[in-house]
Amino acid sequence: MMLLRYLSQIGKYFLMLKEVFNKPTKWTAMRKLIFKEVDDLIIDSLGIVAFISFFVGGVVSIQTALNLTNPLIPKYLIGFATRQSVILEFAPTFISIIMAGKMGSFITSSIGTMRVTEQIDALEVMGVNSLNYLVFPKIIALLLYPFIIGISMFLGILGGWVAAVYGGFGSSGDFIQGLQQEFIPFHVAYAFIKTFIFGMLLATIPSFHGFYMKGGALEVGKASTVSFVWTSVTIILVNYILTQLLLT
């Protein structure tokens, strides 16, 4: 029974995606909605992403340095390990899970509140495709999500450099040599491919949980929690599949 319920929800999710692109809202109204979503979802996330990225990059650098106890191991490995950790996993995946909490809860609660207060019913009575009106601007706004992850990569590596150099774990030259050592440009492309897909998941899964929720204000909170859990689980599963497809 539980498996059937999950399959039913997955089918409903893909039917929702199909409906999102049907009967589009007029561009004049859609443009304002897109700019509002860019402000709410992208611009408002920059502060927390910058803060977390800088300090986690520093932590990765310090932990790597503390584990290099053998004097024969070159110091440039601190920069190498920081680069690999930040670009391959920390920036695209770890930040996306944090954004599932921040962006996802915001999306689910805002759409869920509209469902509870019957604003969605009012849109449909007026002949507006409510899914296109509510979800499509979020999808377009999150096309800019790789921009956030690019900033996260830069600040993570910068935080690692500051921690290594000013913490006395190695010289700036060693760290930069590590950044350049055996650099594979496809790793950056891989990170941005993942980020693009994660952005689509962040826009649509929380919207699904908000749009189809039933009940009152208490259920809005529950839907936000369920939305965060399922968005995080999906991101981790998709991350595993993409890593298997793209890096092996």
Side-chain angles (χ1 to χ4, degrees):
M1 284 296 292
M2 190 175 285
L3 179 63
L4 284 175
R5 189 157 58 86
Y6 286 150
L7 289 173
S8 167
Q9 290 291 90
I10 291 167
K12 197 174 179 182
Y13 170 74
F14 283 106
L15 288 171
M16 181 200 82
L17 290 184
K18 176 176 171 287
E19 193 61 31
V20 165
F21 297 97
N22 283 342
K23 197 182 171 189
T25 307
K26 287 182 181 176
W27 172 245
T28 48
M30 184 58 74
R31 186 177 56 196
K32 291 176 186 174
L33 291 168
I34 289 169
F35 283 127
K36 182 181 182 301
E37 297 297 349
V38 168
D39 188 47
D40 288 342
L41 301 177
I42 302 296
I43 306 298
D44 283 358
S45 299
L46 287 174
I48 184 73
V49 169
F51 179 80
I52 292 171
S53 300
F54 184 84
F55 285 101
V56 171
V59 169
V60 169
S61 178
I62 291 168
Q63 288 185 348
T64 305
L66 292 175
N67 283 289
L68 296 180
T69 50
N70 191 323
L72 298 176
I73 297 174
K75 291 288 185 186
Y76 72 73
L77 283 178
I78 298 170
F80 177 81
T82 304
R83 183 197 76 204
Q84 293 297 91
S85 302
V86 168
I87 289 177
L88 289 176
E89 279 309 312
F90 166 70
T93 308
F94 186 60
I95 291 293
S96 293
I97 291 171
I98 292 169
M99 289 299 105
K102 186 190 180 299
M103 285 183 192
S105 297
F106 173 78
I107 291 169
T108 304
S109 58
S110 60
I111 295 178
T113 303
M114 290 182 75
R115 172 63 77 191
V116 168
T117 54
E118 299 179 352
Q119 293 177 57
I120 292 175
D121 297 333
L123 284 172
E124 286 170 353
V125 166
M126 291 189 292
V128 175
N129 178 354
S130 53
L131 277 169
N132 179 263
Y133 185 85
L134 295 171
V135 182
F136 186 73
K138 293 172 175 58
I139 292 173
I140 298 301
L142 279 161
L143 291 176
L144 292 174
Y145 184 57
F147 169 70
I148 287 183
I149 299 304
I151 290 173
S152 173
M153 288 177 185
F154 171 76
L155 289 173
I157 291 170
L158 179 66
W161 176 82
V162 169
V165 174
Y166 292 97
F169 297 107
S171 69
S172 178
D174 285 338
F175 191 87
I176 291 167
Q177 183 189 349
L179 292 182
Q180 296 170 337
Q181 196 79 18
E182 295 178 27
F183 176 64
I184 300 170
F186 180 71
H187 284 173
V188 178
Y190 155 80
F192 281 118
I193 290 166
K194 286 205 302 187
T195 300
F196 178 77
I197 294 170
F198 293 164
M200 295 303 100
L201 295 174
L202 285 168
T204 54
I205 294 176
S207 297
F208 172 80
H209 285 283
F211 192 84
Y212 291 110
M213 64 146 291
K214 293 181 176 69
L218 182 63
E219 280 72 22
V220 172
K222 287 180 180 175
S224 296
T225 305
V226 172
S227 154
F228 167 66
V229 170
W230 280 110
T231 308
S232 301
V233 167
T234 310
I235 284 171
I236 290 165
L237 285 174
V238 169
N239 181 48
Y240 175 80
I241 293 164
L242 288 174
T243 303
Q244 192 75 13
L245 287 173
L246 298 174
L247 289 188
T248 56

